[in-house]
Amino acid sequence: MVTDITVPYPGAYRAVVAGTGSFVPAQTLTNEDFTRMVDTSDEWITTRTGIKVRHIAGESETTATLAAEAARMALADADMKAADIELIIVATITPEMVFPSTACFVQHMLGAHNAWAFDLCAACSGFVYGVATAREFVVSGRYKNVLVIGAETLSKITDYEDRNSCVLFGDGAGAVVIQGSTQGPLGIVYSSSSSDGGGWTSLNCQAYGSRNPVSRPLNDPKKIFMTINGREVYQLAVRRIVEMVEECLDRCHLTIDDISMFIPHQMNARIIESVAKRINLRAERVFINIDKYGNTSAASIPIALDECCRQGKIKSGDIVLIVAFGAGLTWGATVIQF
Ligand code: ACO
């Protein structure tokens, strides 16, 4: 076990991961299904992205229902009740509605009547931003138990006529309970968070907000869907993720060999493999499950983290590094000792 870790901004308490959970809809879309919808092939999608299947919300499933299912699992894993939670943060870019927040719907669904709740919009970096935010409330001693959820129904803003983007996305939710503690693992050791609003054109969904209100006809009806500049994002994502890993290792006085598990945002298997090569991380320490879910934006890291824990791939004392890059542009990384 690594014992010599620097905690750059220590507080009165440690913010530890007390439980994890995840949930995906039963309905799926396979690569084979896409060959009947757009001009594509299983071979193209598999070699260019690593994706085989994505889960798609059914008629009665919404971002909040997926989030609440994942949260129930995380609470059970932490052996806690909804009433124990004092704050709920839901990271999403596919909210239940314009307002109220998805987090308030989740609070009501869970019966978490002692919690306040808000949404966080940072696309694929949303969960990492959420964990960084939760940590500050917990290490200061303000709250003991915080629920952080990443949840998306990206299928609702996907253009299923655009082969460049439609094959990439899926729906799902993941959740963690962050708990204050004075002993045991160090928990969330360090977070690096960045934004560059100048890069908004690379990844966006332009309707309906105040720039393109629902009350006015759109100059382009496709603005209701996500648009991505995949090639541009690909290169930037690799560069920023490598920089963040180096920063985390440097600030915490760790080496790459100290990282037991690297859980990146599941954007593209080739991006992840390219990053792993550049940081000299062995394949068995890199978690990839994009084949089963596609890119689920804010949900991708907590789903992967939950799978990793349930598969016994994270042991007590292990150091896990989570990293994300997404629309905003936003990017963030967090070092966690379990
Ligand atoms: N099937 C077959 N051909 C396709 C498909 C498809 N589904 N999609 C694109 N192509 C074609 C393109 O039209 C292009 O053809 P052309 O050369 O005749 O013009 C060719 O394949 C190569 O296209 P590239 O864009 O160069 O392919 P690349 O290897 O870069 O892979 C991809 C594209 C998968 C999108 C990659 O760039 C990527 O993963 N980028 C990052 C994805 C991203 O932005 N994710 C964030 C989303 S935002 C969010 O998560 C909320």
Side-chain angles (χ1 to χ4, degrees):
M1 185 177 21
V2 185
T3 48
D4 191 20
I5 310 172
T6 298
V7 181
Y9 302 99
Y13 293 85
R14 299 168 178 194
V16 303
V17 175
T20 65
S22 61
F23 182 81
V24 291
Q27 191 175 303
T28 57
L29 267 179
T30 64
N31 290 353
E32 195 55 37
D33 294 329
F34 277 104
T35 62
R36 292 185 284 276
M37 297 159 66
V38 289
D39 180 15
T40 193
S41 65
D42 173 48
E43 197 267 333
W44 192 95
I45 302 171
T46 306
T47 54
R48 297 294 182 118
T49 71
I51 304 168
K52 286 287 191 188
V53 186
R54 336 74 199 118
H55 292 254
I56 305 295
E59 269 304 302
S60 60
E61 288 174 313
T62 65
T63 298
T65 67
L66 304 186
E69 285 298 332
R72 286 186 190 103
M73 271 183 72
L75 287 170
D77 190 39
D79 201 16
M80 283 170 58
K81 297 186 292 297
D84 298 328
I85 298 295
E86 297 157 283
L87 167 60
I88 299 171
I89 303 173
V90 174
T92 187
I93 51 164
T94 45
E96 203 71 356
M97 47 185 77
V98 175
F99 70 87
S101 70
T102 304
C104 281
F105 282 100
V106 173
Q107 183 234 16
H108 181 63
M109 287 172 185
L110 295 176
H113 47 80
N114 294 317
W116 62 291
F118 67 87
D119 283 5
L120 195 159
C121 177
C124 306
S125 310
F127 178 76
V128 181
Y129 275 27
V131 166
T133 307
R135 178 193 185 265
E136 299 311 313
F137 281 113
V138 171
V139 299
S140 68
R142 183 67 180 88
Y143 300 116
K144 180 117 197 292
N145 299 309
V146 178
L147 193 52
V148 183
I149 307 169
E152 304 284 9
T153 48
L154 296 175
S155 61
K156 318 247 181 185
I157 55 166
T158 297
D159 179 359
Y160 286 104
E161 291 178 351
D162 174 20
R163 71 173 183 171
N164 291 296
S165 63
C166 69
V167 299
L168 302 174
F169 302 108
D171 300 338
V176 295
V177 176
I178 311 274
Q179 187 166 61
S181 165
T182 50
Q183 55 196 9
L186 291 172
I188 303 164
V189 176
Y190 178 69
S191 286
S192 162
S193 313
S194 300
S195 308
D196 174 13
W200 75 273
T201 49
S202 301
L203 302 164
N204 56 58
C205 179
Q206 296 187 38
Y208 288 103
S210 62
R211 283 196 188 185
N212 293 289
V214 72
S215 56
R216 242 190 272 149
L218 292 171
N219 57 5
D220 174 1
K222 292 283 188 189
K223 280 187 175 167
I224 58 170
F225 299 122
M226 278 182 284
T227 55
I228 66 163
N229 183 339
R231 209 172 293 182
E232 194 177 294
V233 172
Y234 191 109
Q235 284 161 5
L236 255 182
V238 172
R239 176 144 44 99
R240 293 297 184 210
I241 291 172
V242 169
E243 283 170 8
M244 280 187 293
V245 171
E246 285 167 354
E247 180 192 328
C248 285
L249 296 179
D250 183 53
R251 295 304 303 272
C252 302
H253 295 126
L254 295 167
T255 71
I256 198 68
D257 294 331
D258 295 325
I259 305 301
S260 304
M261 193 53 75
F262 177 62
I263 306 181
H265 167 47
Q266 307 288 309
M267 181 190 263
N268 182 320
R270 281 161 56 218
I271 292 180
I272 298 172
E273 283 154 9
S274 171
V275 166
K277 202 168 155 199
R278 280 166 209 233
I279 59 176
N280 283 321
L281 198 55
R282 296 203 303 273
E284 66 269 22
R285 295 191 179 196
V286 180
F287 194 75
I288 303 182
N289 65 357
I290 193 172
D291 52 321
K292 296 190 285 181
Y293 306 109
N295 177 352
T296 57
S297 192
S300 102
I301 291 176
I303 291 173
L305 180 61
D306 182 49
E307 270 198 18
C308 234
C309 290
R310 285 173 200 274
Q311 290 172 8
K313 291 191 167 151
I314 299 175
K315 301 182 302 298
S316 174
D318 278 357
I319 297 171
V320 173
L321 180 55
I322 60 175
V323 292
F325 180 91
L329 298 171
T330 57
W331 57 103
T334 294
V335 179
I336 308 170
Q337 189 184 46
F338 277 75

